Amino acid sequence: MCGIIGYIGKRKAVPVLLNGLHRLEYRGYDSAGIAVIEPVGNKIVIEKQVGKIKDLQEKLWDKRIDGHVGIGHSRWATHGEPSIENAHPHISQNGKFAIVHNGIIENYLELKKELEEKGYKFVSKTDTEVIAHLFEELYSGNIVETAVEVAKRLKGAYAVGVISSEEPDKLVAIKQGSPLIVGLGKDENFIASDIPAVLEYTKDFIVLDDGEIAVLTKDEVHVLDINGKPKEKKVLHVDWDVSVAEKAGYKHFMQKEIFEQPRALSDTIAGFNSNLNEELLNTLSNADRIYIIACGTSYHAGLVGKFWIEKFAKVPVEVDYASEFRYRDKVLTDKTVVFGISQSGETADTRFALLDAKKEGAKTVALVNVVGSSLSRESDHTLFTYSGPEIGVAATKTFTSQLAVLYLLALNLGKFRNIIDNRLFENLYESLLKVPSAIEEILKSDEKIKDIAYKYINAKDFLFLGRNINYPIALEGALKLKEISYIHAEGYPAGEMKHGPIALIDENLPVAVLAPIDKFYEKILSNIQEVKARKGKVISITTEGNKEIEKFSEDTIYIPKVEDVLYPFLTVIPLQLLSYHIATFLGKDVDQPRNLAKTVTVE
Ligand code: AGP
């Protein structure tokens, strides 16, 4: 949560900071601010605004700030409500150190007390302000040495950017727990919470590890360990185009990302083998159990993955919310595999659950989208989705790409364990290759789905039903709708409806039912009739050509025929579009829904 950016170089800092903040806004949008060192007199100028980056931009419109060194922040509030006082950057009492911070300082109350006793006056309710005052308190005449001392005093997860009027030719960053990258330019360097924030200026990056401090000048970057010793770091070159971080003619990032799914899926399928190796297959094959742990949409991908791994590879799989898994008394052995799925690779619940499991002796595997993310570096093995950056807070293209990796992993593991033979493997693999074009077909129904969405904009509640491998998609449909439209929604296994949720059904309840023609079709048709008999409004998602279902449905959305096991790739697409259109009709901010953040780095 929260996005941070920093710039030092030949350009004026303000446009670079604002530009980067726009791209980081998905990480938090309660308030925003910048701090820049003015060249004349080296004074630090700070501007902050409650609300979005555009509000900060408007505030800065007629101000002249010439400095070439600065830091910026977009906030997702944890300690203290969204307000100017609580917005970052925070400044030390003597006005000489400005700080931006992403994360949580766990020992801030203790530090605050200590600093207050020394006469420091706090103006905000944040945990971050202690860092600014600590820099002032511990300043030794050398900001790098001071950063080493400050880092030793802080507990918790944090990525910090600091500038000082005492040493105006330096930008210093500290990384512990929260993500931070350094962008390497010519006559300029950057820090940021993620790569797309500065992709416009460079394609060369250093990904900082926990316990590292980066010291940037206009011409050089040095990385030190927590004791101030220099470290060698690899430079990561990415060949993403800057357009991946732009809307490219779409109204919202979410819409663009829904439509990018055929491409994201093809790239992920193509990239799969490059991360697969015998050691990973051996580890999984010998596992007494695989625990898939994840949050939100990634958790739903894990639920689908369980079906495939158990079906094709016959290895037992449990799927758990990472936040629950971490604190329960589970049975882990050195043969247990804990498999974390996370788009960002930074979700605190998933990361810490995985790290704990590793300490307890389990093997760990990560499936992530973000290159260089913490989870990818902390696990024994890492698999990647190649979706490109996902900016909309609601996960869409990364979900279907996660499904592709899980499906391919299950097939490869099944072949490795001789559960499926080469011929079946080839058939199932070939079937997956047809999925991107099947998704293209569904996307052509966008206008029709938009019309259907309009009918339900006044709904107060929504029910999503699915069976077997499509049940997790019902959960995902409900999550998508509630997070972007704020309409209450529940996903349920269709067979379970009669045990309770059926009481909710009346003429005001829309019920989206995933009813592809597979071996559960007859059963789900009975469930549809049960809804219909109670006057619920049925929206069916079914295989093309199935006219019968129209008799029982208010609306029917068709998807192409594929192998039964592949339907989750398709049934989710109409649900993404339905949520998207309902939310946009309601005038909601679909890319930045209230109270949410793309990357949740707090527990
Ligand atoms: C998805 O639409 C949500 N915004 C959210 O549930 C998300 O999937 C969850 O926070 C997990 O994120 P991760 O995949 O980056 O770990």
Side-chain angles (χ1 to χ4, degrees), residues 254 293-300 341-351 367-370 375 390 392-396 398 402 476 479-480 483-484 593 596-600:
M254 181 182 178
I293 58 164
C295 308
T297 292
S298 296
Y299 169 76
H300 300 150
I341 307 180
S342 172
Q343 183 285 128
S344 59
E346 301 295 345
T347 299
D349 290 322
T350 312
R351 268 190 71 202
L367 167 54
V368 302
N369 187 47
V370 176
L375 204 66
E390 187 174 67
V393 163
T396 53
T398 54
Q402 286 168 345
E476 175 60 7
L479 175 63
K480 281 296 83 97
E483 72 178 329
I484 61 171
L596 284 168
K598 181 74 179 162
T599 309
V600 186

Side-chain angles (χ1 to χ4, degrees), residues 7-8 37-39 41-43 68-70 143 163-171 216:
Y7 177 76
I8 184 161
I37 304 179
E38 277 295 30
N42 292 335
K43 194 175 166 329
H68 295 248
V69 183
I143 193 169
I163 53 171
S164 173
S165 54
E166 291 282 352
E167 296 179 50
D169 56 347
K170 287 195 188 82
L171 165 60
L216 288 73

Side-chain angles (χ1 to χ4, degrees), residues 173-452:
I174 317 174
K175 140 94 172 134
Q176 175 62 50
S178 302
L180 197 61
I181 57 97
V182 176
L184 307 170
K186 186 164 167 7
D187 303 324
E188 58 184 354
N189 291 303
F190 311 79
I191 58 164
S193 296
D194 71 17
I195 289 173
V198 291
L199 200 54
E200 193 172 327
Y201 310 103
T202 179
K203 291 195 163 50
D204 292 320
F205 298 93
I206 291 174
V207 179
L208 294 179
D209 285 306
D210 284 349
E212 289 182 344
I213 295 170
V215 185
L216 288 73
T217 63
K218 174 170 138 319
D219 307 303
E220 289 182 334
V221 171
H222 295 282
V223 177
L224 315 172
D225 70 12
I226 203 72
N227 298 311
K229 287 217 186 70
K231 282 186 85 174
E232 281 294 313
K233 295 290 288 181
K234 267 201 312 222
V235 174
L236 171 76
H237 181 82
V238 300
D239 33 2
W240 302 340
D241 193 84
V242 71
S243 66
V244 297
E246 281 163 2
K247 288 185 199 151
Y250 288 95
K251 197 162 173 227
H252 298 101
F253 281 112
M254 181 182 178
Q255 187 189 27
K256 175 184 171 233
E257 288 156 4
I258 291 174
F259 278 81
E260 274 175 355
Q261 285 179 104
R263 198 271 312 143
L265 209 53
S266 301
D267 287 355
T268 297
I269 296 168
F272 176 77
N273 277 339
S274 55
N275 305 302
L276 188 70
N277 57 44
E278 184 137 348
E279 195 192 338
L280 172 61
L281 289 171
N282 249 320
T283 304
L284 293 168
S285 182
N286 294 327
D288 51 11
R289 174 163 306 152
I290 299 173
Y291 284 105
I292 296 184
I293 58 164
C295 308
T297 292
S298 296
Y299 169 76
H300 300 150
L303 290 175
V304 181
K306 171 185 164 76
F307 279 88
W308 288 326
I309 297 171
E310 291 189 338
K311 183 179 177 68
F312 298 129
K314 304 272 182 257
V315 180
V317 180
E318 277 189 42
V319 191
D320 219 337
Y321 286 115
S323 53
E324 288 297 315
F325 178 83
R326 185 177 183 197
Y327 297 107
R328 79 180 165 84
D329 293 322
K330 59 264 172 195
V331 183
L332 299 179
T333 71
D334 59 357
K335 286 192 167 296
T336 307
V337 175
V338 179
F339 190 117
I341 307 180
S342 172
Q343 183 285 128
S344 59
E346 301 295 345
T347 299
D349 290 322
T350 312
R351 268 190 71 202
F352 297 137
L354 208 88
L355 284 172
D356 281 359
K358 196 172 178 179
K359 273 193 217 130
E360 288 172 45
K363 306 268 185 330
T364 53
V365 182
L367 167 54
V368 302
N369 187 47
V370 176
V371 182
S373 56
S374 303
L375 204 66
S376 71
R377 288 174 291 128
E378 291 161 353
S379 308
D380 298 324
H381 300 269
T382 305
L383 296 165
F384 288 95
T385 48
Y386 294 91
S387 314
E390 187 174 67
I391 311 287
V393 163
T396 53
K397 63 176 177 174
T398 54
F399 175 69
T400 39
S401 294
Q402 286 168 345
L403 293 187
V405 171
L406 291 165
Y407 179 81
L408 288 169
L409 186 65
L411 293 191
N412 279 279
L413 190 58
K415 191 167 81 164
F416 187 77
R417 307 185 84 224
N418 291 323
I419 309 288
I420 56 173
D421 61 22
N422 277 348
R423 212 166 122 218
L424 183 56
F425 175 90
E426 289 303 328
N427 286 344
L428 290 163
Y429 179 74
E430 294 292 321
S431 305
L432 176 68
L433 298 183
K434 294 183 191 135
V435 166
S437 57
I439 294 180
E440 297 271 12
E441 276 311 302
I442 303 170
L443 292 171
K444 288 183 192 157
S445 309
D446 184 41
E447 276 304 314
K448 177 181 169 186
I449 296 170
K450 188 172 175 185
D451 290 344
I452 296 172

